[in-house]
Amino acid sequence: MKKLLLLILTFAGYTSLYAQIIPKRLEAKRTNKSVLIDGRLNEPAWQDASLLDDYTEFRPVIGRKEDHDNRTETYLMYDDAGIYFGGTCYERSLDSISKELVGRDGFGANDYIGIIFDTYNDKLNGFEYFITPLGEQWDAKMTSNTNSEDGGEDFSWNAVWKSAVVIHDKGWSFEIFLPYSAIRFSKDKVQDWGINVTRRRRKTEQQNTWSAIDPNVNGFLTQEGLWTGISDIKPPIRLQLSPYFSVYANHFPVNQAAQKNWTNQVSGGLDMKLGLSQAFTLDATLIPDFGQVQSDNRVLNLTPFEVKYNEYRNFFTEGTELFNKGNLFYSRRIGGSHINLGAAYNDLKPEERVIKNPTESKLINASKVSGRMKGGLGIGILNAITRPQYAIIENTETGVIRKVETDPTTNYNILVLDQTLKHNSSVSFINTSVLRGNNNYNANVSSGLFSFFDKKNTYNWTGSVAISNLTYKIPDKKHTTGYSHSFGFAKTSGRFNFSINQNLTDTKYTSNDLGYFTNNNFIDHTLYVGYRYTEPKKWYNRLSYNFNANISSLFSPIGDIKSKYQQSNINVNMNAQMKKLHWFGIFANFTPKQNDFYEPRITGNFFKRGTSIMAGGWIESNYAKKYSINVQVAERVFLNFYNLNGTDVFFSHQYRFNSKFSIRHSVDYQGRPTGLGFTTILANSNTPLFAIRTVNSVDHILNLKYNFTNKMGLTFRARHYASVVKPREFFTLNSDGTLKPKNDITENLSRNVNFFNIDMVYTWQFAPGSFLNVVWKEASIMDSNMATNNYLDNLQNTLQTEQNNNFSLKVIYFLDYLQLKQLKRKS
């Protein structure tokens, strides 16, 4: 009967649909034989393991079976200690294997094979473990209630597990051992897990899976197979400690008698993972040290909104998928800028000077508890405390020192409850809280979210409702309560997709104290319509195009301004992967006239922007080649409005000399030969001053990478950013949003801002989970009103400024309670 059904569906062109009707099943097999993890699969235990073969391609050709010479054979078994996964990735020629040493969790140009476990079989949450032909490991947590066949993957999550790879004349073989401490599961006597295995061949971009995947169906985990009959496995005691020791030396040419040019610091601390139950884990960091994280890509910010920077601190990137629900958590708030940073300059006497004003708070400790119960309830709790910070002010006449508090002792807390439901659905509750000492205000935000799919996993209803509260300790300040919501409906499966959304936020809502929040008081409506061709044709492997539009209005009028309209735009896009595995895309945008209520920087004012059109395109060559490029170009022109225009060009290229050494260089150019925007506030009239100006920004990044082995590597990253602003004509803002020329400005309002950074890192994983890191960081800043567009002059002048050099050595040693217990028994 199955063969007849397969024949009928194949004739109708629905082989991938057949895989959805009858997912694969694999019987779990236990072993009591020993296995040496060396990549060779020559132990007798593998002969009794379950076989996973007969892989199916889902890119570029959906449903095509593997070629025999490039087939995949994998085996799976388990014992009381963990899970064994091994196999052979056959290749017709060894030249077909794409391999590059890039470090842990780095994709590079590597072939790979990976196994995905959905241990609670909820088709929403999974654990992934990947291995490359040169033996480098990746691992991630996956969530599959996103509108993507790949789901959402968090590669910052790391576990400690063993693996080995051997390259031979038939391809490459691998062995993986996953201790139960590296995965989360229930304590039921007999369990069935969702499972899939995926293999990717980079030189052909073929992606195959054991349980067939249809990219036209929403969700990767929704199409998984089943590993049945796993019995008598017990979640182990999970206690893992990572004590660290670090030494820092910092040089900055202060060249003052009271301060040293060289400073140093010796520190130590501890990171801990403790399994509170079979599902929940406590992560804690005591006296954390984040001094070796990558430098921020700082820029000159000409917008009215804060720049959002990436998070590089491991504690706040690893395993935070629960805390990121609802977009209420921006981890850079913890230990970030002070709420009273400018207090150092309040009431500053003429004879006083600020000699120290820290811009970031010190983290005392942080902890988080997260996990998911058998019934699908995920719980996450994160708490962090920062110490108070003070500006140091000196009286230059008497030498008296006084302190001004710029940031109080602060407690940050997040609570997340996430219940998975049938059919890839979920409901969630999130609460964020910021409690401050002294007379500062406290902030609280609560939000409920839902995501419902129909039985066929085709349509999706989403929504959220959030309430914020600010409570003040100053008697004359009133507490404020704000409201926000979002609702949407979408078609997520099939070639044709669409979504309709509404987002509303009133005038009092804010989530800025623990989230990234730009503005409130809006009601937005968005529409997305897209179509994709996932089957290869004459000139492409994949092709998609979409249309999207949005319109934004004020939720409540501002002052005497009658109009509530803010802005709207229409976008069209087309993207395609070519037969030679190159990508390209083209796009266009039309933006009618806007009422910008934020550019003037003063509430009650608005600026009328003109109609504009933009067009552009991009191309990306095959990354598996030794030399690859990525080019993006866009041009925007404002119609009949001061002849404004702007050009964005991004160019990146990389050359891989061999599997160990590569160079990557990128340049991002943003040119505004005729731009218009806010410049300053006129002090005598408290009026926004606008200017027609030339703005040229260049961002150069050079990356060099050399990996000695799959456990040891050296990286060098240099970045120079230069932004030059030259105002030419000045204007004041009228009450109706138009501009009036102002010709009496004599002040030099040009800006020339440069940032130069070097991050050089040597890392050695000398034992599983244990690292030695040696880092050199250099930073230079030039900020002047001498505007010159000569890039080399700006670079030279920046390098001649006072430079801050930081040298550090850090040793992290991984200790596992179970391993220590085994060693004690052997002794």
Side-chain angles (χ1 to χ4, degrees):
M1 183 64 185
K2 289 182 180 180
K3 291 183 178 180
L4 178 60
L5 179 59
L6 177 59
L7 181 62
I8 296 172
L9 292 171
T10 301
F11 178 77
Y14 292 108
T15 53
S16 58
L17 178 60
Y18 174 80
Q20 295 301 310
I21 296 174
I22 308 175
K24 284 188 174 182
R25 299 173 68 90
L26 184 75
E27 180 185 355
K29 292 188 177 180
R30 176 186 285 272
T31 184
N32 56 8
K33 301 174 182 178
S34 62
V35 176
L36 176 65
I37 304 300
D38 58 3
R40 301 185 184 280
L41 282 85
N42 52 8
E43 294 87 359
W46 290 111
Q47 298 177 10
D48 301 324
S50 300
L51 172 65
L52 300 88
D53 60 356
D54 189 29
Y55 281 64
T56 304
E57 187 175 312
F58 74 95
R59 286 178 183 158
V61 179
I62 302 175
R64 181 169 64 184
K65 293 301 180 180
E66 283 187 314
D67 178 72
H68 181 268
D69 292 336
N70 299 316
R71 68 189 184 280
T72 309
E73 292 181 356
T74 52
Y75 301 87
L76 187 66
M77 58 187 176
Y78 70 101
D79 63 11
D80 291 336
I83 301 165
Y84 299 87
F85 175 55
T88 299
C89 299
Y90 288 92
E91 289 286 353
R92 182 179 291 107
S93 167
L94 293 185
D95 293 337
S96 301
I97 303 175
S98 183
K99 52 188 182 295
E100 179 186 10
L101 289 172
V102 290
R104 201 182 199 282
D105 289 332
F107 285 85
N110 280 297
D111 290 355
Y112 62 76
I113 191 166
I115 190 165
I116 301 98
F117 292 110
D118 174 7
T119 56
Y120 294 95
N121 197 23
D122 60 11
K123 302 188 184 302
L124 281 171
N125 302 278
F127 298 89
E128 303 178 297
Y129 308 88
F130 298 90
I131 193 73
T132 75
L134 293 178
E136 290 185 323
Q137 297 179 347
W138 313 340
D139 44 24
K141 283 186 177 181
M142 171 181 273
T143 56
S144 192
N145 57 351
T146 58
N147 298 336
S148 166
E149 71 269 13
D150 295 326
E153 294 172 297
D154 176 15
F155 282 95
S156 63
W157 177 80
N158 288 314
V160 177
W161 43 283
K162 296 180 180 179
S163 62
V165 173
V166 174
I167 297 178
H168 45 74
D169 58 355
K170 294 182 180 179
W172 55 287
S173 299
F174 68 94
E175 288 179 312
I176 290 174
F177 172 66
L178 300 173
Y180 291 132
S181 59
I183 198 167
R184 309 290 178 264
F185 54 92
S186 73
K187 57 182 179 181
D188 291 352
K189 183 176 179 60
V190 180
Q191 303 181 37
D192 295 340
W193 292 2
I195 186 178
N196 213 341
V197 180
T198 180
R199 178 189 176 187
R200 184 175 184 179
R201 303 175 66 234
R202 290 303 300 269
K203 291 186 177 180
T204 62
E205 283 298 3
Q206 289 175 290
Q207 292 179 260
N208 305 312
T209 54
W210 172 69
S211 184
I213 296 293
D214 184 350
N216 293 311
V217 175
N218 177 57
F220 188 93
L221 295 178
T222 60
Q223 305 177 68
E224 64 194 10
L226 200 63
W227 193 26
T228 63
I230 311 162
S231 60
D232 296 317
I233 61 172
K234 298 179 180 180
I237 296 175
R238 292 184 285 112
L239 175 57
Q240 298 170 343
L241 305 175
S242 296
Y244 81 85
F245 171 79
S246 63
V247 179
Y248 288 85
N250 196 88
H251 179 267
F252 183 76
V254 181
N255 297 326
Q256 295 183 10
Q259 299 184 52
K260 297 179 180 179
N261 291 343
W262 280 97
T263 58
N264 57 72
Q265 176 184 333
V266 177
S267 182
L270 178 71
D271 290 342
M272 178 184 71
K273 290 182 182 292
L274 174 63
L276 302 178
S277 67
Q278 71 272 16
F280 293 99
T281 302
L282 167 66
D283 291 86
T285 179
L286 179 64
I287 316 178
D289 174 15
F290 302 122
Q292 292 190 333
V293 299
Q294 180 180 306
S295 303
D296 285 327
N297 289 339
R298 298 177 62 186
V299 298
L300 172 62
N301 185 15
L302 298 176
T303 75
F305 305 120
E306 173 190 9
V307 176
K308 185 176 183 180
Y309 290 109
N310 293 332
E311 178 63 89
Y312 298 113
R313 299 173 295 178
N314 288 338
F315 180 84
F316 295 109
T317 60
E318 181 183 349
T320 56
E321 70 283 349
L322 276 174
F323 303 106
N324 292 327
K325 289 184 176 293
N327 295 320
L328 297 178
F329 179 43
Y330 177 42
S331 58
R332 292 294 295 262
R333 290 282 179 255
I334 301 175
S337 298
H338 302 173
I339 62 170
N340 296 319
L341 189 63
Y345 302 94
N346 296 339
D347 303 321
L348 193 67
K349 299 176 181 178
E351 65 274 14
E352 291 182 325
R353 67 185 181 105
V354 178
I355 62 174
K356 186 178 181 181
N357 189 17
T359 58
E360 296 181 351
S361 298
K362 300 295 183 181
L363 187 63
I364 299 175
N365 60 60
S367 59
K368 58 189 176 188
V369 175
S370 61
R372 191 170 296 275
M373 302 172 66
K374 178 186 175 182
L377 176 62
I379 301 176
I381 302 173
L382 186 149
N383 194 83
I385 302 174
T386 58
R387 67 174 74 250
Q389 295 295 301
Y390 300 89
I392 308 300
I393 299 173
E394 179 188 34
N395 188 307
T396 57
E397 296 178 355
T398 64
V400 175
I401 299 292
R402 67 183 178 95
K403 297 194 302 183
V404 175
E405 185 180 78
T406 58
D407 206 41
T409 300
T410 306
N411 185 89
Y412 302 88
N413 184 266
I414 307 173
L415 168 66
V416 182
L417 303 175
D418 178 60
Q419 177 65 57
T420 61
L421 305 171
K422 291 182 179 180
H423 313 307
N424 206 25
S425 303
S426 65
V427 293
S428 308
F429 171 80
I430 302 100
N431 176 264
T432 68
S433 172
V434 179
L435 302 176
R436 298 184 173 93
N438 295 343
N439 293 322
N440 294 277
Y441 70 93
N442 297 329
N444 187 282
V445 180
S446 296
S447 178
L449 297 86
F450 67 85
S451 176
F452 297 144
F453 285 87
D454 67 329
K455 291 183 179 180
K456 295 182 179 180
N457 194 27
T458 301
Y459 295 98
N460 175 236
W461 293 261
T462 59
S464 68
V465 174
I467 296 176
S468 68
N469 285 281
L470 301 182
T471 57
Y472 295 89
K473 301 177 183 179
I474 303 173
D476 59 345
K477 291 281 286 186
K478 293 183 178 180
H479 304 332
T480 60
T481 299
Y483 169 83
S484 178
H485 78 232
S486 66
F487 297 107
F489 175 68
K491 181 178 182 291
T492 58
S493 290
R495 291 182 175 179
F496 172 70
N497 302 129
F498 69 84
S499 65
I500 304 172
N501 296 277
Q502 183 198 74
N503 296 279
L504 182 150
T505 297
D506 71 9
T507 58
K508 296 181 179 180
Y509 178 83
T510 177
S511 60
N512 196 57
D513 290 88
L514 197 45
Y516 179 78
F517 185 81
T518 56
N519 63 280
N520 52 26
N521 190 20
F522 63 84
I523 178 168
D524 295 348
H525 293 89
T526 61
L527 169 68
Y528 168 90
V529 178
Y531 195 87
R532 54 187 176 179
Y533 297 91
T534 52
E535 297 281 358
K537 299 296 182 183
K538 291 183 179 180
W539 60 274
Y540 64 83
N541 286 333
R542 281 184 275 169
L543 173 66
S544 66
Y545 48 85
N546 64 74
F547 165 89
N548 57 83
N550 70 75
I551 184 169
S552 176
S553 301
L554 294 176
F555 172 74
S556 179
I558 297 178
D560 297 329
I561 303 173
K562 295 181 180 180
S563 176
K564 295 173 65 176
Y565 169 77
Q566 293 197 91
Q567 62 89 24
S568 58
N569 61 67
I570 297 172
N571 302 281
V572 290
N573 303 272
M574 186 189 78
N575 304 308
Q577 184 191 50
M578 311 294 288
K579 287 295 185 180
K580 297 292 185 180
L581 306 182
H582 304 312
W583 284 91
F584 85 93
I586 55 176
F587 52 88
N589 167 274
F590 173 72
T591 302
K593 291 182 179 180
Q594 307 173 52
N595 292 327
D596 192 331
F597 295 91
Y598 308 103
E599 184 70 9
R601 308 311 203 265
I602 296 179
T603 302
N605 292 263
F606 74 104
F607 167 52
K608 285 187 175 180
R609 290 190 183 274
T611 299
S612 68
I613 57 173
M614 183 186 71
W618 60 275
I619 186 169
E620 181 180 296
S621 68
N622 184 357
Y623 187 74
K625 301 291 185 181
K626 280 186 172 292
Y627 181 73
S628 59
I629 64 169
N630 184 342
V631 181
Q632 304 174 34
V633 179
E635 177 78 15
R636 180 177 291 277
V637 177
F638 285 80
L639 305 178
N640 302 319
F641 193 76
Y642 297 103
N643 297 316
L644 305 178
N645 62 85
T647 303
D648 293 344
V649 178
F650 175 80
F651 175 75
S652 174
H653 57 146
Q654 173 174 291
Y655 188 80
R656 288 186 294 113
F657 294 89
N658 50 48
S659 62
K660 295 183 176 181
F661 181 45
S662 66
I663 296 178
R664 182 179 179 86
H665 168 253
S666 67
V667 57
D668 191 350
Y669 170 75
Q670 295 182 345
R672 305 291 182 267
T674 310
L676 176 63
F678 169 86
T679 298
T680 188
I681 299 291
L682 294 176
N684 56 352
S685 61
N686 197 34
T687 301
L689 182 68
F690 280 64
I692 290 180
R693 60 200 182 186
T694 299
V695 182
N696 289 308
S697 300
V698 181
D699 195 349
H700 268 286
I701 299 177
L702 175 66
N703 287 280
L704 285 76
K705 171 199 65 80
Y706 189 89
N707 283 68
F708 304 95
T709 68
N710 59 6
K711 298 292 192 298
M712 182 190 300
L714 179 68
T715 60
F716 175 89
R717 182 181 190 268
R719 174 182 184 257
H720 176 227
Y721 169 87
S723 186
V724 180
V725 183
K726 288 184 179 181
R728 300 201 303 267
E729 300 179 51
F730 294 97
F731 304 84
T732 55
L733 190 62
N734 296 319
S735 60
D736 63 354
T738 60
L739 298 177
K740 179 174 65 176
K742 188 169 181 60
N743 301 318
D744 58 350
I745 301 297
T746 58
E747 182 182 357
N748 183 1
L749 295 176
S750 297
R751 293 288 302 275
N752 188 350
V753 175
N754 288 252
F755 299 107
F756 182 83
N757 292 93
I758 289 177
D759 292 83
M760 188 171 182
V761 180
Y762 166 82
T763 185
W764 172 33
Q765 184 179 348
F766 58 88
S770 301
F771 297 88
L772 167 68
N773 299 323
V774 181
V775 176
W776 166 44
K777 300 176 70 174
E778 192 271 346
S780 304
I781 301 174
M782 184 186 74
D783 188 348
S784 76
N785 58 7
M786 302 298 293
T788 172
N789 283 319
N790 189 309
Y791 177 81
L792 293 179
D793 286 348
N794 282 329
L795 176 59
Q796 182 179 3
N797 293 334
T798 304
L799 295 177
Q800 290 176 351
T801 61
E802 296 174 339
Q803 301 177 2
N804 188 83
N805 284 275
N806 184 277
F807 306 90
S808 61
L809 181 148
K810 185 175 182 180
V811 179
I812 306 169
Y813 196 82
F814 176 79
L815 299 170
D816 186 287
Y817 168 78
L818 295 178
Q819 294 179 356
L820 294 176
K821 189 176 180 180
Q822 291 176 358
L823 291 174
K824 184 177 180 180
R825 287 176 177 175
K826 291 180 180 179
S827 62

